[in-house]
């Protein structure tokens, strides 16, 4: 009987998504009746919530609200936060569709409160990332409601709450690892963002993509502006098409650069100040877009007028200390690592770890020309002001033992790889030594104490990684 009830509810929800509402309601009612007879709260909630969704999609908002309220009561009585979250989102959708924006905002805030409660109980950053990517719609819908109410500052704060939270936690963990106990990372509100941008002499441009419409904020000094943009589908399609043209080195890319600028930056262009850094917080497929190549009217690239930087969120930027103090040296560089004459000795730790990397596509071909790359860069500075580690000396241990805070510039010329299934295993490949596998992985990188103006990863596709909704690109950068 339980499997029959589950099948009926699943079938009803499928019909609802296909627009067959009579079939949806018939199967959902049958599944719900069976669930009630079994006294199965989980299935009863699923059927009730499914009815609410089907009724809302068919335009029967009053009946939909009734079912969502029943679902909310079931979730609250059973103490199931995810059920509360889904029911609150449904009630928010009903209110939003009816134009009752205050009520919609109240329900979406409650849904987000349930999400935050569940997220706080998750252990690993991987679980937190996956969880948030599956619950991001409540944040997106609340942003849209707040934008319609003209509440741009609160909308920006909600966008920050939905950005790179797992990475922010990893930064805090890395800081605790290197400096002992430290304050927990803080999510910035609009005032905090304005203060951070003023401190850095920068302008923040942050995006939030949505199903109906998207938004962009520009924050400079003590001023925050917000503008509506096209939907997620439209913007992501244009961005992907433009990037494909760039990769193919097609002349059509130049023709696309200005229209894309008009779509993404023109609405807030008056806030962009020359001689200030433009800090981009992208969303969705915009993470893959090189904004420097966009062209304002006039036939020149954005990168010719502004220095462009990218961060996962404004709150992450606030956790990254600006270079400070006197740095004694100009350059620290690693190149031409020795990957060994063959595979590691079977059974060793190095063999096991490196074997996983090879299984995931890592191919360690020699890179002899990286020696010339490093030597050429080092020649730009006095010998006493630069340190290079080449060949077998370019080890993971040498990075971890070096006083990195002394250097203005750090350069890695070697292989790097992205593990999209487990991004925390991604890393920079250096010479192996002893039992060490030679890979400087994400957690190793987060534990490094840096004070550099510039860190270069001179390896293939180091700007790529797995794109997770709400988290951005999970990779080396």
């Amino acid at each position: 009987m339980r499997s029959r009830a589950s099948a009926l509810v699943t079938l009803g929800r499928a019909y609802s998504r296909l627009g067959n509402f009579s079939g949806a309601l018939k199967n959902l009612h049958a599944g719900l009746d069976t669930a009630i007879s079994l006294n199965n709260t989980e299935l009863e909630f699923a059927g009730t919530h499914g009815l609410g969704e089907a009724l809302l999609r068919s335009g029967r908002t009053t009946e939909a609200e009734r079912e969502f309220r029943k679902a909310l009561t079931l979730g609250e009585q059973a103490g199931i936060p995810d059920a509360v979250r889904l029911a609150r989102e449904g009630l928010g959708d009903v209110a939003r569709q009816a134009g009752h924006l205050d009520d919609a905002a109240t329900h979406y805030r409650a849904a987000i409160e349930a999400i935050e409660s569940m997220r706080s109980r998750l252990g690993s950053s991987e679980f937190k990332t996956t969880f948030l990517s599956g619950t991001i719609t409540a944040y997106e819908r609340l942003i849209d409601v707040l934008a319609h109410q003209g509440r741009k500052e609160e909308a920006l704060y909600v966008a920050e709450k939905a950005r790179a939270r797992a990475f922010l936690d990893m930064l805090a963990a890395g800081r605790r690892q290197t400096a002992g106990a430290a304050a927990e990372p803080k999510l910035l509100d609009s005032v905090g963002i304005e203060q951070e941008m003023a401190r850095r002499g920068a302008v923040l441009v942050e995006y939030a993509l949505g199903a109906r419409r998207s938004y962009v904020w520009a924050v400079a000094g003590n001023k925050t502006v917000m503008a509506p943009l096209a939907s997620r589908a439209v913007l992501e399609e244009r961005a992907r098409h433009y990037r494909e043209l760039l990769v193919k080195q097609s002349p059509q890319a130049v023709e696309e650069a200005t229209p894309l600028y008009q779509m993404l930056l023109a609405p807030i262009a008056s806030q962009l100040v020359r001689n200030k850094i433009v800090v981009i917080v992208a969303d969705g497929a915009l993470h893959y877009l090189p904004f420097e190549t966009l062209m304002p009217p006039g036939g020149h690239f954005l990168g010719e007028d502004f220095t462009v930087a990218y961060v996962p969120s404004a709150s992450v930027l606030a956790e990254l200390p600006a270079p400070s103090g006197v740095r004694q040296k100009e350059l620290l560089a690693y190149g031409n690592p020795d990957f060994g004459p063959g595979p590691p000795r079977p059974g060793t730790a190095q063999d096991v770890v490196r074997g996983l990397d090879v299984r995931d596509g890592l191919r360690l071909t020699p890179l002899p020309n990286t020696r010339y790359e490093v030597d050429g860069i080092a020649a730009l500075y006095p010998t006493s002001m630069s340190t290079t580690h080449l060949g077998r000396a370019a080890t993971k241990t040498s990075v971890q033992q070096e006083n990195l805070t002394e250097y203005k510039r750090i350069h890695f010329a070697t292989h790097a790889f992205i593990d999209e299934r487990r991004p925390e295993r991604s890393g920079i490949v250096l010479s192996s030594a002893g039992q060490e596998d030679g890979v400087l992985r994400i957690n190793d990188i987060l534990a490094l104490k840096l004070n550099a103006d510039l860190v270069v990863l001179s390896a293939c596709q180091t700007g790529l990684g797995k794109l997770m909704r709400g988290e951005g690109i999970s990779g080396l950068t």
Side-chain angles (χ1 to χ4, degrees):
M1 291 286 284
R2 187 187 189 285
S3 59
R4 170 179 167 78
S6 179
L8 287 168
V9 169
T10 301
L11 185 61
R13 299 184 85 146
Y15 276 132
S16 175
R17 292 187 179 94
L18 292 171
N20 183 347
F21 299 118
S22 61
L25 295 175
K26 175 183 176 182
N27 283 280
L28 286 166
H29 278 298
L32 179 58
D33 290 342
T34 305
I36 292 173
S37 70
L38 294 170
N39 197 28
N40 188 309
T41 302
E42 182 181 344
L43 282 174
E44 186 179 351
F45 169 82
T48 305
H49 183 264
L51 279 173
E53 288 186 317
L55 290 165
L56 181 61
R57 287 191 177 109
S58 63
R60 296 159 65 176
T61 54
T62 301
E63 295 168 87
E65 182 179 4
R66 181 191 65 211
E67 297 303 324
F68 284 133
R69 290 198 179 278
K70 289 180 184 177
L72 178 61
T73 300
L74 286 168
E76 289 177 336
Q77 290 178 345
I80 306 174
D82 197 44
V84 172
R85 186 263 302 184
L86 289 168
R88 285 289 192 178
E89 276 195 56
L91 288 168
D93 292 343
V94 169
R96 182 185 181 203
Q97 189 164 309
H100 302 150
L101 298 186
D102 285 338
D103 290 341
T106 297
H107 289 303
Y108 290 138
R109 288 192 193 98
I112 290 171
E113 185 178 337
I115 292 167
E116 296 289 336
S117 173
M118 289 184 284
R119 183 186 176 280
S120 67
R121 296 198 290 269
L122 296 174
S124 75
S125 61
E126 183 179 0
F127 287 156
K128 289 180 178 180
T129 298
T130 305
F131 173 75
L132 187 58
S133 70
T135 58
I136 202 71
T137 53
Y139 297 87
E140 293 177 351
R141 290 168 186 172
L142 179 54
I143 289 169
D144 190 53
V145 168
L146 293 171
H148 273 81
Q149 293 179 311
R151 303 168 75 169
K152 59 189 177 187
E153 290 85 1
E154 186 181 352
L156 177 57
Y157 179 64
V158 174
E160 279 292 302
K161 291 185 76 169
R163 290 279 188 281
R165 297 289 296 283
F167 184 66
L168 196 58
D169 291 342
M170 288 174 66
L171 275 179
R175 187 174 58 187
R176 287 193 293 270
Q177 183 178 339
T178 58
E184 289 298 312
K186 180 182 179 182
L187 284 172
L188 297 184
D189 58 15
S190 62
V191 174
I193 294 173
E194 289 174 0
Q195 292 172 345
E196 184 66 21
M197 293 305 109
R199 185 174 72 86
R200 293 178 179 268
V203 179
L204 180 80
V205 177
E206 181 159 343
Y207 292 89
L209 304 188
R212 296 183 182 179
R213 63 192 64 81
S214 304
Y215 296 94
V216 59
W217 293 265
V219 182
N222 61 354
K223 185 177 182 181
T224 298
V225 301
M226 180 180 65
L229 303 174
S231 69
R232 173 189 295 275
V234 170
L235 294 180
E236 290 196 325
E237 173 59 30
R238 293 294 292 267
R240 288 192 179 101
H241 176 63
Y242 177 64
R243 186 173 180 275
E244 288 171 1
L245 293 175
L246 289 176
V247 171
K248 295 175 183 177
Q249 299 183 9
S250 169
Q252 289 181 311
V254 176
E255 300 173 11
E256 286 290 318
T258 297
L260 201 50
Y261 172 90
Q262 296 288 0
M263 295 180 75
L264 293 173
L265 287 168
I268 48 88
S270 62
Q271 305 304 309
L272 303 183
V273 181
R274 288 179 183 267
N275 301 321
K276 284 196 174 185
I277 298 172
V278 176
V279 179
I280 303 288
V281 177
D283 191 18
L286 300 187
H287 280 286
Y288 295 123
L289 183 66
F291 280 77
E292 296 93 331
T293 65
L294 301 184
M295 300 181 70
H300 59 285
F301 295 109
L302 184 72
E304 295 180 73
D305 294 334
F306 304 97
T307 298
V308 180
Y310 301 87
V311 293
S313 72
S315 301
V316 166
L317 178 62
E319 291 295 311
L320 303 175
S324 61
V326 177
R327 290 158 294 171
Q328 304 297 325
K329 296 188 177 182
E330 296 285 346
L331 175 72
L332 173 65
Y334 295 81
N336 191 28
D338 182 356
F339 303 124
R345 185 163 52 85
T348 63
Q350 185 187 53
D351 173 48
V352 173
V353 177
R354 187 63 63 82
L356 292 172
D357 299 334
V358 170
R359 182 201 66 190
D360 291 337
L362 178 64
R363 297 293 180 267
L364 298 178
T365 55
L367 298 170
N369 287 332
T370 59
R371 173 180 291 272
Y372 304 119
E373 177 182 335
V374 168
D375 285 342
I377 296 170
L380 299 172
Y381 307 102
T383 304
S384 62
M385 300 296 287
S386 65
T387 301
T388 61
H389 295 273
L390 297 168
R392 297 187 66 181
T395 64
K396 173 180 175 178
T397 301
S398 69
V399 176
Q400 294 172 323
Q401 293 180 347
E402 190 75 55
N403 184 0
L404 303 178
T405 60
E406 288 190 343
Y407 295 93
K408 295 180 182 179
R409 302 166 189 86
I410 301 174
H411 189 96
F412 293 93
T414 180
H415 286 296
F417 69 100
I418 305 296
D419 187 332
E420 292 199 349
R421 290 178 300 174
R422 297 190 60 189
E424 71 276 7
R425 283 183 44 79
S426 304
I428 302 166
V429 188
L430 298 166
S431 300
S432 55
Q435 291 292 302
E436 167 192 299
D437 70 335
V439 180
L440 194 67
R441 300 187 190 275
I442 295 292
N443 287 336
D444 300 318
I445 294 169
L446 289 173
L448 298 176
K449 297 179 70 174
L450 303 175
N451 194 30
D453 295 322
L454 177 68
V455 178
V456 176
L457 304 183
S458 181
C460 296
Q461 297 185 325
T462 51
L464 301 182
K466 185 175 183 178
L467 182 60
M468 301 286 290
R469 287 186 72 184
E471 194 64 27
I473 292 179
S474 189
L476 292 174
T477 57

